[in-house]
Amino acid sequence: MLHPDELNRLVDLVAALYDFTDAGPRGRRLLLTQANLGRFLGGLDLSGSPRIVAAAILTQIENYGYLPDQPTIHALGALLSYLLTLGDLPADQKTFLASLIVKYSLVTDPIYIKKIGEDYSVNTTVERKPDAANTAPPITNQIEASPSFKIDLKDPTGLESIINSEDNFLDVSWLFGALYSAQAVCRIEVPEDTAKGTGFLIGPDLVLTNAHVLKNLEYVKDAVLRFDYRADALGTVPNQGRLFRLVPDFYFFSPAELLDYALVRVQGRPLEQVITQEKGLSPMDLVLKGKHRGYLVTKTDYVREHDRVNIIQHPDGDPMKVVMTQNYVIGDMANTRVHYVADTMGGSSGSPVFNRKWEVVALHHSGAPYPPESVDPKKGWKGQFRVNQGIPMRDILKDFQTRDLERYLPSS
C-alpha cells in the first residue's frame, strides 16, 4: 500500500521513538497496546534492533486491514493516529503521518480527517478508497440558530474574576459522574446523519431536548437519536453509535420564547441492557458495575450564583464532549432562566446542565459571546467568554405537573 520511500521514512520515524530505542521490548509492547494493537503482540519478536522491529510491525499491520471492532480504522491508521498524540514529534513528522492517513484512507471518520487536515495543513489527494463497509456515513450540520437573549450582568468584571479564579482540583469521582451521565445523552438528527442538537433521557424511554431542535411532529417522525457517539483517546470515532427512532405521535412542547422544551418518546429503551434496580449506588459504583439507572435524575433545586455546573453536549454536531471547568452560574434563577459561563456551540441546544452531584438542574437553551462587541467576525467566539442561558428544571417540571405530564416520568 505505501510507496517504498514512504515506508522507509515511516520505519525510520518509528524506530527513532523512545519506545524503540531506550525503553526496549517493554516500551514497544506498551506502544502497540496504547494504539489498540495489542492483538499483534503474540506474533512479533520485539527484542531485535529498533529498525528491524519497526519494519516487522509496520509490515504486519499494513497487511492486516481494518480492525474488526473499529471498521473505520485501518490497523496502520490506529498506529499513526496514536503517534500524532505524542508531544515530542516534530511538526514535519506529524504532517507526514497525517498525510499518510488521508492519502490511504487509513481512518474513514470524516470529522477526524477534517481535524487532522486543519491541524497539520494536509493537502493530499486520496489515492486509496476503502470499501463502503469501512466508510463512516457523512455527517452534515444543519443546526438551527439558537434563540437570542439579553445578557444583563450587574458586575461584568465579576465574570472574568470567576474564570480566572477557577480551581482545577476535582474529585476523581467527578470523572465517573461524567462517564455515567454521558450514556444517557444523545445527538439528535433530522433526518439521519444531519445533526440538529442534543437530548437526554429523563426516563427509560423519554428524551428531553429543546423545542427549537424538534420543532413539530414532522421533525419527530424524521428524527433519529444517536447514543454513544463519541471519540476515543486518539480522537477517532471507532463506531457511529446506536440509533433509535421516536414514537411519531408522542410530542409535548413549550415554545422557544417560553420554556423551550420538547418531550418525546423513544422506540425502545436505549440503556435497557445495563439498567439495574439496585438502589443507593453512586455513579462511580454504577460505572464500575457496568450498570445504569436508565435515565438521568432531574432536580428542582434552586441554582445560585457561583454554583458550578457541568454540561455534556454535542457541540456543532461533533462527538460528545463534556465541560467540567471554567463553568459557573453568574446569575440566580429569575423569570424561568439561569445564566452560566461555559463553552457551548450550535448543536449544544438541548443538553443537560448538571450540578455537582450530576443531577440535571437545567436544560441548555442558548449561548452568546460576552462582551458581544469584542467578537472578531473571522475568529468567532474564540478567546471570548461564553454566557449561556438555560431553562431551570424547576420550571419545566412545574409545567409538566400543570399539563399532567408527570405521569410519564419514572416514579423515583
Side-chain angles (χ1 to χ4, degrees), residues 106-229:
L106 299 179
V107 177
T108 61
D109 168 25
I111 293 177
Y112 180 74
I113 293 301
K114 179 182 178 182
K115 182 179 185 302
I116 65 171
E118 294 172 349
D119 290 349
Y120 304 109
S121 302
V122 175
N123 186 20
T124 302
T125 302
V126 176
E127 287 191 7
R128 175 182 174 275
K129 295 183 178 180
D131 296 335
N134 299 115
T135 303
I139 302 298
T140 58
N141 182 338
Q142 294 183 4
I143 296 166
E144 303 286 345
S146 297
S148 60
F149 62 96
K150 181 181 178 181
I151 301 172
D152 185 16
L153 296 179
K154 298 176 182 177
D155 180 13
T157 59
L159 179 60
E160 184 174 4
S161 151
I162 288 175
I163 292 178
N164 290 337
S165 66
E166 165 77 279
D167 72 84
N168 289 312
F169 293 106
L170 303 176
D171 291 331
V172 172
S173 60
W174 273 40
L175 303 180
F176 286 95
L179 292 172
Y180 171 82
S181 301
Q183 297 174 68
V185 178
C186 63
R187 189 175 73 173
I188 297 179
E189 304 170 3
V190 186
E192 184 178 337
D193 297 329
T194 301
K196 287 291 185 182
T198 303
F200 56 99
L201 290 165
I202 61 171
D205 61 353
L206 293 174
V207 163
L208 188 68
T209 187
N210 287 143
H212 78 261
V213 172
L214 290 178
K215 296 183 175 182
N216 52 48
L217 275 174
E218 292 304 313
Y219 274 67
V220 173
K221 292 175 182 176
D222 292 339
V224 169
L225 308 183
R226 191 179 296 268
F227 285 84
D228 299 331
Y229 182 57

Side-chain angles (χ1 to χ4, degrees), residues 312-365:
I312 297 179
Q313 55 188 296
H314 284 283
D316 204 28
D318 286 349
M320 195 181 303
K321 303 290 190 295
V322 59
V323 175
M324 296 175 64
T325 59
Q326 307 290 17
N327 44 339
Y328 282 97
V329 173
I330 59 173
D332 291 355
M333 285 184 186
N335 301 320
T336 70
R337 297 294 188 267
V338 60
H339 289 165
Y340 41 91
V341 178
D343 283 345
T344 62
M345 297 176 67
S348 301
S349 292
S351 300
V353 181
F354 299 90
N355 62 14
R356 285 178 172 268
K357 298 178 182 179
W358 291 98
E359 300 162 332
V360 182
V361 293
L363 170 66
H364 179 66
H365 162 72

